[in-house]
Amino acid sequence: MATISSIRTKLLSQFPEPQATLMATVFVESHDELIHRAEFNELTAVVKELATAQHELAEAQQRTETRVEELAEAQKDLAAAQQRTEARVEELAEAQKELTEAQKQTTWELGNLAKQVGGLAGALGGSLEDFACELVPELLEHHHGMVIASAGPEEIAVAGEPKEFDVVIRGTIDSRPVIVLCEVKAAVSASEVRRFLKVVDGARQSLPGYEIRALFFGYRADSQARNAITSAGAAMVFTRGVMIP
């Protein structure tokens, strides 16, 4: 017959000492009261099940602790990402503010330019070509740092035929030879824009080694004409605005 000591020794591998001692004592004291061997075997199976459950509970607790650590690390990463996002939002707000200020400045400059063109017309009492010769070189110097060599009407061969341009501005940009061909009209239409751009393409073939640019100068241009100019990457100078790419 098993003794309390032997049973306790076996139980110590799965249970703490107080529990092992108590269970061993209960098993021995209850042995005489067990009538059938099957009842004792059933009790033994229960003990094994309890030991297995204790082991599974320990493993589940370990997995829970690991998951808690992972969640804490994820929370830390989320806080850092949120901090970076807030910093980026502040940067975007500042950039938007600067853009708004730049737009205000551009609007003011365009209005000022319109006044200059109108004032130039009244002061000089000359033709639009005269105004273009006075104003466009200054704008090219300001926007592109172009060093002006000459500005005025000029005849250039296009596809073997001489073509008189209203204003031709010659110079250099970053030491590159550049020629700006200007079409001067009081009111520029989309069809006139397309026609002049074809002439400029022909001039490019006749003037290898030069960077050829197109510019339209006048009092006004409708929306279709302005769209045609900007789509072609050409420049325009009108009383209502300036676009020099």
Side-chain angles (χ1 to χ4, degrees):
M1 177 180 176
T3 64
I4 292 177
S5 178
S6 62
I7 294 175
R8 175 179 174 277
T9 301
K10 293 180 180 180
L11 292 175
L12 283 174
S13 63
Q14 298 293 333
F15 295 91
E17 182 177 356
Q19 293 182 1
T21 301
L22 177 62
M23 294 175 69
T25 301
V26 171
F27 291 162
V28 172
E29 292 177 352
S30 302
H31 179 267
D32 295 339
E33 298 178 3
L34 295 175
I35 300 175
H36 301 290
R37 180 67 177 175
E39 294 178 350
F40 181 79
N41 291 338
E42 182 179 351
L43 182 59
T44 301
V46 170
V47 171
K48 291 182 178 179
E49 291 177 357
L50 288 173
T52 301
Q54 179 75 13
H55 181 69
E56 293 176 350
L57 178 61
E59 291 183 342
Q61 183 174 1
Q62 185 175 4
R63 290 194 299 270
T64 300
E65 292 174 353
T66 301
R67 183 56 179 164
V68 168
E69 292 178 358
E70 293 175 352
L71 290 174
E73 185 65 25
Q75 181 69 21
K76 181 179 178 181
D77 294 340
L78 179 61
Q82 184 175 0
Q83 187 174 6
R84 291 193 298 270
T85 300
E86 291 174 352
R88 182 56 178 162
V89 168
E90 291 179 358
E91 292 175 358
L92 290 174
E94 184 64 24
Q96 181 66 30
K97 180 179 178 181
E98 293 175 358
L99 178 60
T100 301
E101 292 298 324
Q103 289 176 338
K104 290 181 180 178
Q105 180 65 20
T106 300
T107 301
W108 180 87
E109 290 179 353
L110 293 179
N112 189 46
L113 177 63
K115 293 179 181 179
Q116 291 180 14
V117 173
L120 186 61
L124 296 179
S127 65
L128 277 177
E129 287 81 0
D130 295 331
F131 305 155
C133 287
E134 291 286 340
L135 185 59
V136 173
E138 293 182 5
L139 292 174
L140 294 176
E141 288 177 347
H142 174 71
H143 287 277
H144 291 311
M146 184 175 180
V147 179
I148 307 300
S150 63
E154 188 175 328
E155 189 176 89
I156 296 176
V158 177
E161 296 293 332
K163 166 64 179 175
E164 181 72 24
F165 289 90
D166 296 329
V167 179
V168 176
I169 301 170
R170 292 177 180 267
T172 59
I173 298 177
D174 296 330
S175 301
R176 303 189 316 272
V178 176
I179 297 177
V180 179
L181 303 177
C182 300
E183 175 78 345
V184 180
K185 294 282 186 181
V188 180
S189 66
S191 61
E192 288 172 334
V193 170
R194 290 189 289 269
R195 177 193 58 76
F196 185 69
L197 290 176
K198 290 181 180 179
V199 174
V200 173
D201 287 338
R204 289 191 177 98
Q205 299 176 7
S206 302
L207 297 168
Y210 289 90
E211 180 180 346
I212 308 299
R213 302 187 180 189
L215 185 145
F216 295 85
F217 184 93
Y219 287 123
R220 60 185 179 276
D222 58 29
S223 60
Q224 292 182 348
R226 293 195 298 271
N227 291 336
I229 293 171
T230 55
S231 298
M236 61 181 182
V237 179
F238 296 106
T239 56
R240 292 188 177 181
V242 175
M243 198 290 293
I244 300 182

